[in-house]
Amino acid sequence: MAFLFDLLIAFLIVVGSVFLLVGSAGLIKLRDLMTRLHAPTKATTLGIGSVLLASMVHFIVVRGAVSVHEILIMVFLFLTAPVTAHFVAKAHLHEHMRDGSELPPTERDSGWSTFDPGPGAPGESGTRPGPRGDAED
Amino acid sequence: MIGYALLFGFFAASLALVLNIWRLVAGPTLMDRVLAFDTMVINVIALIMFWGMQQETTLYFESALLLSMFGFISTVAFCRFRLRGDIIE
């Protein structure tokens, strides 16, 4: 039984380490930032979750008591990784703004929703006027 | 067996940290560096976990929790600074 627990802990540690490596290798292999965002926010989070599970099982075997710290760290990381990814993507889009002039006309009263306020939207939308330059404030 | 697995874990997390430092130095844009730093924080949390398992002590969980919180807060604050020019408006 102890051998089975050792096997489970070692398996979880190895799987988590491999996922950490894959996530960090994706950081340097992929092309630009919007594709690079996928590697750390998915693979690395999964790897750290596996490492925390291994630590939990290990301390259950060693101490005979369930520790809640790992669950706390796991929940915090799994909740904050998408928020971090969203913020990084938003800041990247904010840095590399296009003017939208390469887009075809929409043949409607309103422009493209990424660049112009949509129909019925409140006046405050983006940080720039649209491609047609008629963003009224 | 756990000792060998922990050795592999130390090796993998350290190699991941080296790759993140490479991206942090060579990243073409600013957000690349922020993302590499956030990944570095997660890898350091994994290292702390491995170290606590090797020492068989539960001392280091609070430090890992604090580090995860500080990493998240710093990343969000930096992105917000890039977006708004101000962290607290």
Side-chain angles (χ1 to χ4, degrees), chain A residues 72-87:
Chain A
L72 213 62
I73 301 172
M74 213 186 302
V75 165
F76 188 81
L77 280 175
F78 280 21
L79 282 181
T80 55
V83 180
T84 301
H86 172 257
F87 264 102

Side-chain angles (χ1 to χ4, degrees), chain A residues 22-37:
Chain A
V22 165
S24 293
L27 255 189
I28 60 168
K29 273 197 77 72
L30 296 172
R31 284 190 309 272
D32 52 348
L33 189 124
M34 296 306 258
T35 52
R36 259 180 229 142
L37 260 175

Side-chain angles (χ1 to χ4, degrees), chain A residues 79-107:
Chain A
L79 282 181
T80 55
V83 180
T84 301
H86 172 257
F87 264 102
V88 169
K90 204 170 172 184
H92 180 258
L93 285 177
H94 181 78
E95 277 183 350
H96 301 277
M97 262 194 271
R98 299 176 303 175
D99 57 347
S101 57
E102 74 272 14
L103 293 172
T106 56
E107 318 208 352

Side-chain angles (χ1 to χ4, degrees), chain B:
Chain B
M1 190 188 324
I2 293 183
Y4 290 119
L6 279 174
L7 270 180
F8 176 72
F10 280 127
F11 171 75
S14 310
L15 189 61
L17 273 173
V18 169
L19 298 181
N20 293 330
I21 289 173
W22 182 9
R23 177 52 68 197
L24 191 131
V25 171
T29 65
L30 192 69
M31 281 302 131
D32 278 317
R33 296 188 168 95
V34 175
L35 186 64
F37 183 75
D38 191 62
T39 317
M40 273 176 77
V41 168
I42 294 183
N43 284 322
V44 168
I45 292 168
L47 271 181
I48 289 174
M49 282 291 145
F50 291 147
W51 178 247
M53 283 166 75
Q54 202 186 36
Q55 299 295 313
E56 289 193 353
T57 174
T58 57
L59 262 177
Y60 301 105
F61 289 155
E62 282 84 6
S63 69
L65 188 61
L66 271 174
L67 196 64
S68 66
M69 284 186 182
F70 271 107
F72 170 68
I73 296 279
S74 60
T75 308
V76 167
F78 201 90
C79 294
R80 193 160 175 81
F81 177 71
R82 289 302 296 170
L83 278 170
R84 297 276 182 176
D86 233 339
I87 298 172
I88 300 171
E89 298 168 8

